[in-house]
Amino acid sequence: MSRERVRRSVDRLQGTIPPETTTTGYLLRLSRPRFWFYLAGPVVVGVAYGADSLAALFAPIALVLFAYFLVPANVFLYGVNDVFDADIDETNPKKDDREVRYTGDKTVLAAVIVSGLLALGFVPVLTSAALATLALFVFLAVEYSAPPLRFKTTPLFDSISNGLYVLPGVIAYTAVAGELPPIAAVLGGWLWTMGMHTFSAIPDIDPDREAGIRTTATALGERRTYGYCALCWLAAAVSFAFIHILLSVLLLAYPVLVFAIARSSIDVDRAYWWYPAVNTLVGMVFTLGGLWRLIYGG
């Protein structure tokens, strides 16, 4: 065992954050800043398509939802994940530099719990449909990682449960439009998240197998997981064709990209870190489409 691993083990036993990391800095790294827009981005898209005027884009509820899903919701989601994956993460190489390991610190645990409880602040201001969607988000955010369901350890259910990432967009759309978005858009977004989640699990195949964790990616293996992701993204593109053909064409970039990665010598561990930028770019184009509809119609 390396000196660094020994130090981390001692930190964990003592329930302390590594001394070179402040609590705030630790929580920020725990929240995965590269992935903040995976939750906040759908809020922007949902508002862009749900708004009926330019003023509605900046409605207080839209701004508050964006703020919540930008940071607190990420602290909650990834914090729950890290708390219940503490043992597994001991051997996960991603935790050595780009992310952090949960050390058992009670202050961190309290911050994660409070971040989840902040969602209760929306109870007085959201419609019943939006609140039901928010409740589903909280449920999936917890049960993806926590017992008794712990979806992340059951192949296929780990993928399906990650539809939670599209739910902030559903909530935001409903909050500003007063009704749920078209079912084809929700289904397309859900299928997209299934593909994205399973692709992101490819770098974890070896650590998960070593820890005895079964996921869609460990069950399929790397090559077949590429195929599964491509099928999810193709299905998402088909679903969005019922909304607008240009949105469908845009989503075809994902199966094309995963095919290129699978056929090349590019390390998936490296390609995995491209996707925050790719997803942000695609989300921006989605948003511009919504703004075009709002300003020019059609």
Side-chain angles (χ1 to χ4, degrees):
M1 182 180 290
S2 68
R3 183 182 305 173
E4 175 65 14
R5 184 59 54 80
V6 170
R7 184 184 66 79
R8 289 188 179 277
S9 297
V10 171
D11 286 336
R12 186 175 163 206
L13 289 172
Q14 293 177 338
T16 62
I17 295 173
E20 70 276 11
T21 307
T22 65
T23 301
T24 301
Y26 179 92
L27 287 170
L28 287 175
R29 290 187 65 193
L30 174 147
S31 69
R32 322 288 205 269
R34 284 183 177 85
F35 305 143
W36 280 358
F37 272 87
Y38 283 9
L39 291 181
V43 172
V44 176
V45 175
V47 170
Y49 284 91
D52 59 3
S53 67
L54 291 176
L57 295 173
F58 302 98
I61 186 59
L63 298 177
V64 174
L65 282 169
F66 177 79
Y68 176 71
F69 283 105
L70 182 66
V71 181
N74 279 293
V75 171
F76 176 60
L77 175 64
Y78 293 115
V80 171
N81 179 83
D82 286 1
V83 167
F84 287 97
D85 276 7
D87 291 336
I88 299 169
D89 287 341
E90 282 294 328
T91 58
N92 189 336
K94 285 196 303 186
K95 299 295 182 177
D96 290 331
D97 47 16
R98 295 181 184 271
E99 298 177 7
V100 292
R101 290 180 172 88
Y102 175 65
T103 63
D105 187 272
K106 293 181 179 179
T107 302
V108 171
L109 181 60
V112 171
I113 294 172
V114 169
S115 295
L117 291 176
L118 286 176
L120 294 175
F122 292 108
V123 171
V125 295
L126 291 180
T127 65
S128 56
L131 284 175
T133 307
L134 179 60
L136 179 59
F137 170 83
V138 173
F139 170 76
L140 291 176
V142 172
E143 287 305 317
Y144 174 74
S145 302
L149 298 178
R150 196 160 159 76
F151 291 122
K152 71 178 299 175
T153 62
T154 306
L156 191 57
F157 283 95
D158 63 326
S159 179
I160 294 173
S161 63
N162 261 255
L164 67 91
Y165 282 94
V166 77
L167 296 180
V170 177
I171 296 166
Y173 181 101
T174 306
V176 298
E179 61 183 7
L180 290 167
I183 188 63
V186 178
L187 177 60
W190 203 290
L191 288 163
W192 177 87
T193 62
M194 288 172 60
M196 191 65 245
H197 163 265
T198 307
F199 181 83
S200 71
I202 294 175
D204 293 333
I205 288 177
D206 289 338
D208 283 345
R209 283 176 173 171
E210 183 179 340
I213 299 295
R214 296 188 69 240
T215 67
T216 301
T218 62
L220 293 176
E222 183 173 334
R223 303 303 295 182
R224 284 184 293 181
T225 299
Y226 285 130
Y228 174 87
C229 294
L231 287 175
C232 286
W233 284 327
L234 281 171
V238 170
S239 187
F240 269 102
F242 291 93
I243 304 299
H244 198 291
I245 190 62
L246 293 181
L247 297 179
S248 176
V249 171
L250 177 62
L251 286 181
L252 289 176
Y254 286 93
V256 169
L257 183 56
V258 79
F259 178 79
I261 293 170
R263 295 285 295 177
S264 71
S265 59
I266 298 172
D267 190 339
V268 69
D269 291 64
R270 178 186 175 194
Y272 166 71
W273 294 103
W274 299 344
Y275 275 78
V278 172
N279 295 335
T280 299
L281 179 61
V282 170
M284 181 186 71
V285 176
F286 257 73
T287 303
L288 290 174
L291 295 177
W292 181 277
R293 172 203 61 84
L294 184 60
I295 297 171
Y296 299 106

